[in-house]
Amino acid sequence: MNKKEEIKLTPEEVQEKLLKVTIANNKRLKSIDYSLGFIVLDYSSNKKTMKKIITIIALLLFYFTSYAQDKLCKKLNIKEDKFTKIKQVKSPSFAGGVFISRFIEKGNKSTYLYVNTEGVTLNTNIKGFKILFSDGTIIDKKNQKIDVSVNTKGDGYNYSVYTNIEDDIDLLLDKEITDFRLYIYDRSFSKRQLKKFKSYLKCIVNYN
């Protein structure tokens, strides 16, 4: 029974990595589309062949993941205050306004997360921010101040939080966020948004 593997790559990676490795291992190239960066391999269920194919695929996925990560890291906004010499490394805004920023001063690092959501009722002088993970774990910042402003893009109000996550980085990278709660107002986090969040956080953490 024939099987297929489809991997999304850049055209350069397809030509330099996939094609050469595939031919060298006597695999039959079923089809290739350089404009879209797709390659499809057609192979048998032979165990030795399968083992080689799996190894190739693992290597290619590593190359693709590294490429995608590097591409996102290049989008970081880096600036340094001329007077204080404090450096800020900030991600682009994504997922409707979410962003991450890190301040670096003489080796000391502080990382912050900005999250916002909407609510139809007005509440002021409020506190409480929670991050829910897929396994039920919750980061609970009970005393975290929640800011509120009029929603200029629609009805109701905009609730936002800018909170220090330096001590939560390992947890945020290891687990999967599903939801945020700002006081009583919730917002979900899709898998696509989560992937981008983790990628940007890794970029910021690894920045030297």
Side-chain angles (χ1 to χ4, degrees), residues 129-141:
F129 175 60
K130 295 181 180 180
I131 302 175
L132 177 64
F133 297 94
S134 60
D135 65 354
T137 301
I138 296 176
I139 293 177
D140 190 357
K141 298 177 180 289

Side-chain angles (χ1 to χ4, degrees), residues 111-126:
T111 309
Y112 292 83
L113 170 65
Y114 176 89
V115 178
N116 63 340
T117 190
E118 297 177 356
V120 295
T121 56
L122 175 62
N123 287 283
T124 59
N125 299 318
I126 54 177

